[in-house]
Amino acid sequence: MKPFRRVFVVGGAHTTYMGKARADFVHPKQVTAERRNPTLEEHLQASVRATFEATGADPSAVDKGYVSNFLGECFARQGHLGSMLAAVDPALEGKPFARIEAACASGSAAIAACIDAMQAGCDVTLVAGVEVETNVRGSEGVDHMALAAHWEQQRGLSQFVFPHLFGVRAKAWKEAFGGTSEDLARIVVKAYANANRNPQALNHTSAMTLEHADTPSDRNFLFLEDPELHAHMRLTDCTAFTDGASSVLLATEDGLKRLGIAPGDCTEILSYAHSVRGLGKPTDGARLVNVQGAASQAYADAGITAQDVDVAEVHDCFSVTEAQHYPALGFCAEEDSPARIRDGSFALDGSLPVNPGGGLIGFGHPIGATGVKQVLEVHRQMRGACGDYQMAERPRIGVTSNLGGDDRTGIVMVHAAVG
Amino acid sequence: MKPFRRVFVVGGAHTTYMGKARADFVHPKQVTAERRNPTLEEHLQASVRATFEATGADPSAVDKGYVSNFLGECFARQGHLGSMLAAVDPALEGKPFARIEAACASGSAAIAACIDAMQAGCDVTLVAGVEVETNVRGSEGVDHMALAAHWEQQRGLSQFVFPHLFGVRAKAWKEAFGGTSEDLARIVVKAYANANRNPQALNHTSAMTLEHADTPSDRNFLFLEDPELHAHMRLTDCTAFTDGASSVLLATEDGLKRLGIAPGDCTEILSYAHSVRGLGKPTDGARLVNVQGAASQAYADAGITAQDVDVAEVHDCFSVTEAQHYPALGFCAEEDSPARIRDGSFALDGSLPVNPGGGLIGFGHPIGATGVKQVLEVHRQMRGACGDYQMAERPRIGVTSNLGGDDRTGIVMVHAAVG
């Protein structure tokens, strides 16, 4: 989908992505009335207020908005989040808000709906992505995450449904393309290295060595029950439970005039493609077929090729998901992905940095926020706003790929610097 | 919002709305492997397939779609419903679907997002609204419903949060405008009378007399704990837990050409207005302020006045909600609503039929489906498809009003017959 009314990313803000890896996180067992982690509503409020502050936009300028969130009912006992967004500022009262859910691709689905709304006449839109996940026991959290799969048909696969499904992918990827566990560990090491430069990242201060990521141990255990898959999923291959919010403000050219902001201070979304496959239907474990289709469409609509891409934010819910993204997004041939991992092509100082802020594994994965975070991170790289993890040369063309379930929802967007 | 590309309702389908009031419902305690109620997925599939059958449209014609659902995670342990929609038909694989949630207004929010998408270039869109609510104990179900309010701030109001909030409204409405409990009971009697003519309604075969609806008894009990509110909410004033799905197919003029369907076989959505107030913020108990604002906007955008309206589907989650809708939609002055209830103005044979198919109280309230059902019901009345509850004269202009929470999300649409 190529917008006929141009869509600009004006700016936005993340809250600090919280979880056990951060020193400022309060472990659930140590929570008191005085000392606790921010709630879903507090994350939402903070990211929205910081977005207005960062962009200088007045909340009254907003025409429409969406909250992206996957599991508010389960983790935070809260639905109706569109109405929670309206409560953030008196000037937002009476505006049209709702919540969009597409499992882990909720954020991009909400941005896509805002792009549609801007073609329909809205000039300034707001997307607030949020999730809180750390406030229940891990086993319960894992169960909630499984609602992105076909619960009735797939919950019997494992007590860890998604690690199981992506363990299948890790095994298939290695077998099909000659990749190794060490290659996947290198993706993890890159994620942490980038996150270590990013003060808002969950893993900002967590060290990660190739030896630790690649060696099963009592601190990096293999946990899948299935003997076929057991060796293919380590704790460090997975994202950790994360609380956080990311918001972005979007505007048309008319919207920018209303806001008094020049297009040259923004970035542009050139296209999006959104492809969904049936829940519980068979998948190809060796490749992201659905993402690949969405990427082809998004590139064609934007008039670019994979060779034009300078930076990418991809959905590394597990290390193998990033490995499978490289060919799905056209960054290399399928059989070359292990070699490209080994030669550092996708590192912060590589030829095509992928997830320079840490991605889902390094930065964190508060599910509803992730797609919004990806778009904002490409914007920030293009605007030179990334501090210690700023790319040496500001990217001109960027791609975001946000995944829901086991290659079920795929939303790919193409972004461009302006001016 | 007035679409610049015309939006037609091509048609759609409801599943039978199921719940304890129906003889074909299987009580949870009597469920066996062989004898059970349809699941969320089965309701979704059935309404979508029936929509393609009713319209003669091929699923491959769909450009985009949304599932509207409030509490799939809680009642059915299922999220990622956009991907479940893609699984309904092989021709839907690869299309862009997601789920929209705006509590009880989810259905209208999804239709609004499709209207936006159709301005952005889509020509055929699909909305599938679905909810399953009968498979848990009532107390648990009531708790889930409370997630449409501000859980942290408002759950302490009562074990029945929404009956409490609308009990406040019943009391305030009576005190402000001279209405009585009997007036509210008359709304209930009308709902059942209409539902008795509607074979898909939850209360198709349930009798309801004014005496029963108006007289507290051990079969129609007062259940609010608050002594101030106790007298203002009877069991029959409430909607009952309902399972069901409603789907509609929408098209632009280009979409109708693709489908080979004439505009004269459709109805048209002239406008929508979508207004959201902050969760947990104070409300005016005597009137639906937010709905009233949305209605004014929708009428202005459509170029109509309340006097032009021939039929309305309004959100009678409680009997008082319908009473408050009459003035909010401009059907009478606030102080006249009790008299208009008594003189039968809004009955099936009245001057302005409201909820001719039974509304939420009579037809049922599977939350995510309700807004979709309202739009389809206006379409069906305009097309003369309502059988025993068909209005004597087919309406030309219709209004739908779908509410989320305690006057928090209000979405009003104006509909017109074509040709």
Side-chain angles (χ1 to χ4, degrees):
Chain A
M1 189 276 189
K2 179 179 169 55
F4 53 84
R5 300 184 80 206
R6 293 175 70 185
V7 171
F8 296 92
V9 178
V10 181
H14 315 296
T15 60
T16 296
Y17 279 20
M18 296 293 289
K20 286 186 189 170
R22 286 191 67 98
D24 46 356
F25 178 76
V26 185
H27 192 283
K29 287 178 184 165
Q30 298 171 326
V31 164
T32 65
E34 292 75 35
R35 196 159 173 276
R36 58 173 181 77
N37 302 303
T39 63
L40 182 145
E41 184 164 28
E42 289 163 346
H43 275 288
L44 180 74
Q45 286 173 341
S47 78
V48 169
R49 287 178 184 152
T51 291
F52 289 123
E53 200 165 315
T55 58
D58 193 279
S60 66
V62 173
D63 290 321
K64 188 161 187 167
Y66 286 102
V67 174
S68 53
N69 171 265
F70 177 28
L71 291 165
E73 292 86 351
C74 296
F75 281 106
R77 288 300 286 166
Q78 188 61 61
H80 206 182
L81 296 178
S83 177
M84 190 168 264
L85 176 54
V88 171
D89 190 286
L92 296 178
E93 293 272 341
K95 295 180 182 291
F97 300 125
R99 172 254 202 135
I100 288 197
E101 181 267 315
C104 304
S106 299
S108 293
I111 291 175
C114 277
I115 293 172
D116 288 356
M118 293 164 80
Q119 310 312 300
C122 292
D123 285 310
V124 179
T125 63
L126 176 68
V127 182
V130 66
E131 205 83 47
V132 163
E133 304 167 358
T134 67
N135 59 336
V136 303
R137 279 176 305 135
S139 58
E140 193 182 334
V142 165
D143 248 25
H144 292 336
M145 300 296 179
L147 304 187
H150 194 297
W151 175 256
E152 201 182 319
Q153 292 172 19
Q154 297 181 301
R155 68 177 152 168
L157 287 174
S158 164
Q159 69 175 117
F160 308 101
V161 173
F162 275 96
H164 176 99
L165 290 167
F166 284 82
V168 170
R169 289 192 171 273
K171 181 170 184 285
W173 178 78
K174 292 173 197 171
E175 290 173 358
F177 309 120
T180 65
S181 288
E182 188 185 284
D183 296 330
L184 297 181
R186 285 181 192 278
I187 288 174
V188 175
V189 171
K190 170 177 77 69
Y192 278 70
N194 293 350
N196 287 171
R197 295 165 170 267
N198 176 358
Q200 291 189 292
L202 173 68
N203 286 304
H204 179 51
T205 57
S206 312
M208 183 59 63
T209 63
L210 184 60
E211 189 187 354
H212 179 72
D214 191 38
T215 314
S217 69
D218 58 356
R219 287 170 46 243
N220 188 21
F221 36 87
L222 305 170
F223 58 94
L224 291 180
E225 308 93 331
D226 188 320
E228 292 282 305
L229 302 178
H230 183 71
H232 298 289
M233 187 59 67
R234 298 155 295 202
L235 183 64
T236 51
D237 290 310
C238 311
T239 49
F241 293 110
T242 316
D243 303 340
S246 293
S247 297
V248 292
L249 194 72
L250 307 174
T252 61
E253 288 177 285
D254 290 340
L256 290 182
K257 283 179 200 153
R258 184 192 301 169
L259 297 170
I261 293 173
D265 292 330
C266 303
T267 59
E268 184 172 2
I269 301 178
L270 297 182
S271 68
Y272 79 82
H274 176 177
S275 176
V276 179
R277 306 276 167 158
L279 209 62
K281 302 285 181 191
T283 61
D284 179 339
R287 49 185 65 77
L288 296 169
V289 174
N290 189 55
V291 169
Q292 187 162 4
S296 297
Q297 187 64 53
Y299 293 174
D301 288 349
I304 69 152
T305 69
Q307 285 67 47
D308 297 318
V309 177
D310 301 317
V311 66
E313 287 281 330
V314 312
H315 196 94
D316 58 320
C317 47
F318 298 90
S319 55
V320 67
T321 328
E322 178 162 331
Q324 294 194 343
H325 259 100
Y326 302 144
L329 297 180
F331 298 162
C332 64
E334 286 182 326
E335 60 276 18
D336 291 343
S337 50
R340 293 288 81 72
I341 293 167
R342 290 170 209 160
D343 71 15
S345 292
F346 307 117
L348 182 53
D349 61 357
S351 56
L352 170 47
V354 172
N355 294 343
L360 283 63
I361 289 175
F363 200 154
H365 184 26
I367 296 181
T370 287
V372 183
K373 185 257 283 178
Q374 293 180 323
V375 169
L376 183 57
E377 284 299 285
V378 168
H379 169 86
R380 294 177 73 239
Q381 285 289 347
M382 288 178 174
R383 302 291 310 145
C386 288
D388 287 346
Y389 66 98
Q390 179 64 45
M391 290 163 55
E393 194 172 339
R394 291 192 194 180
R396 303 285 311 164
I397 296 288
V399 171
T400 49
S401 177
N402 193 195
L403 193 75
D406 180 18
D407 196 28
R408 302 292 83 195
T409 294
I411 306 180
V412 175
M413 297 190 187
V414 177
H415 310 262
V418 176
Chain B
M1 189 276 186
K2 179 180 170 55
F4 53 84
R5 300 183 81 205
R6 295 174 69 184
V7 172
F8 296 92
V9 179
V10 182
H14 315 297
T15 59
T16 296
Y17 279 18
M18 296 293 291
K20 286 187 188 167
R22 286 190 67 98
D24 45 357
F25 177 77
V26 184
H27 192 283
K29 288 179 183 167
Q30 297 171 328
V31 164
T32 64
E34 293 75 36
R35 195 159 174 279
R36 59 173 181 77
N37 301 303
T39 63
L40 182 145
E41 183 164 28
E42 288 163 346
H43 274 288
L44 180 73
Q45 287 173 340
S47 77
V48 169
R49 288 178 182 150
T51 291
F52 289 123
E53 199 165 316
T55 58
D58 192 279
S60 65
V62 172
D63 290 321
K64 187 160 190 170
Y66 285 102
V67 174
S68 53
N69 171 264
F70 177 28
L71 292 165
E73 291 87 351
C74 297
F75 281 107
R77 288 301 285 163
Q78 188 61 61
H80 206 184
L81 296 178
S83 176
M84 190 168 264
L85 176 54
V88 171
D89 190 286
L92 296 178
E93 292 273 341
K95 295 179 182 291
F97 299 124
R99 172 255 204 133
I100 288 198
E101 183 268 314
C104 304
S106 299
S108 292
I111 291 175
C114 277
I115 293 172
D116 288 355
M118 291 163 82
Q119 310 312 298
C122 292
D123 285 309
V124 179
T125 63
L126 175 67
V127 182
V130 66
E131 205 84 46
V132 163
E133 305 166 358
T134 67
N135 58 336
V136 303
R137 279 176 305 133
S139 57
E140 192 182 335
V142 165
D143 247 25
H144 292 335
M145 300 298 180
L147 303 187
H150 194 296
W151 175 255
E152 200 181 321
Q153 292 174 19
Q154 297 182 300
R155 69 177 153 170
L157 287 173
S158 162
Q159 69 175 118
F160 308 101
V161 173
F162 274 95
H164 177 99
L165 290 167
F166 284 82
V168 170
R169 289 192 171 273
K171 181 168 183 286
W173 178 78
K174 292 173 197 171
E175 289 173 0
F177 309 119
T180 65
S181 287
E182 188 183 285
D183 296 329
L184 297 181
R186 285 182 191 277
I187 288 174
V188 175
V189 170
K190 170 176 79 66
Y192 278 71
N194 292 352
N196 288 171
R197 294 166 170 266
N198 175 0
Q200 290 187 292
L202 173 67
N203 286 305
H204 179 50
T205 57
S206 312
M208 183 58 65
T209 63
L210 184 58
E211 189 186 354
H212 180 71
D214 190 37
T215 314
S217 69
D218 58 357
R219 287 170 46 242
N220 187 22
F221 38 85
L222 305 170
F223 59 94
L224 291 179
E225 309 92 332
D226 188 319
E228 291 282 304
L229 302 178
H230 184 70
H232 296 290
M233 189 58 67
R234 298 155 296 203
L235 183 63
T236 52
D237 289 310
C238 310
T239 49
F241 292 110
T242 315
D243 303 339
S246 293
S247 298
V248 291
L249 194 73
L250 307 175
T252 61
E253 289 177 285
D254 289 340
L256 291 181
K257 283 178 200 153
R258 182 192 301 170
L259 298 170
I261 292 172
D265 292 331
C266 303
T267 60
E268 186 172 1
I269 301 178
L270 298 182
S271 68
Y272 78 81
H274 177 176
S275 177
V276 178
R277 306 276 167 158
L279 210 61
K281 302 287 180 188
T283 61
D284 179 339
R287 49 185 68 78
L288 296 169
V289 173
N290 190 54
V291 170
Q292 188 162 2
S296 297
Q297 188 63 53
Y299 293 174
D301 288 350
I304 69 155
T305 69
Q307 285 66 48
D308 296 319
V309 177
D310 301 317
V311 66
E313 288 281 330
V314 311
H315 197 94
D316 58 318
C317 47
F318 298 91
S319 55
V320 68
T321 328
E322 178 161 331
Q324 294 193 342
H325 258 98
Y326 301 145
L329 297 180
F331 298 162
C332 63
E334 286 183 324
E335 60 276 19
D336 291 343
S337 51
R340 292 289 80 73
I341 293 167
R342 289 170 209 159
D343 71 14
S345 291
F346 306 117
L348 182 54
D349 61 358
S351 56
L352 170 47
V354 172
N355 294 345
L360 283 62
I361 290 175
F363 200 154
H365 184 26
I367 297 179
T370 286
V372 184
K373 185 258 281 180
Q374 293 180 322
V375 169
L376 183 56
E377 284 298 286
V378 167
H379 170 86
R380 295 176 74 238
Q381 285 290 346
M382 288 178 173
R383 301 292 308 148
C386 288
D388 287 348
Y389 66 99
Q390 179 63 45
M391 290 164 56
E393 196 172 339
R394 291 191 195 181
R396 303 284 311 166
I397 296 288
V399 171
T400 50
S401 177
N402 193 193
L403 193 75
D406 180 18
D407 196 28
R408 300 294 86 192
T409 294
I411 306 179
V412 176
M413 298 190 186
V414 178
H415 310 262
V418 176

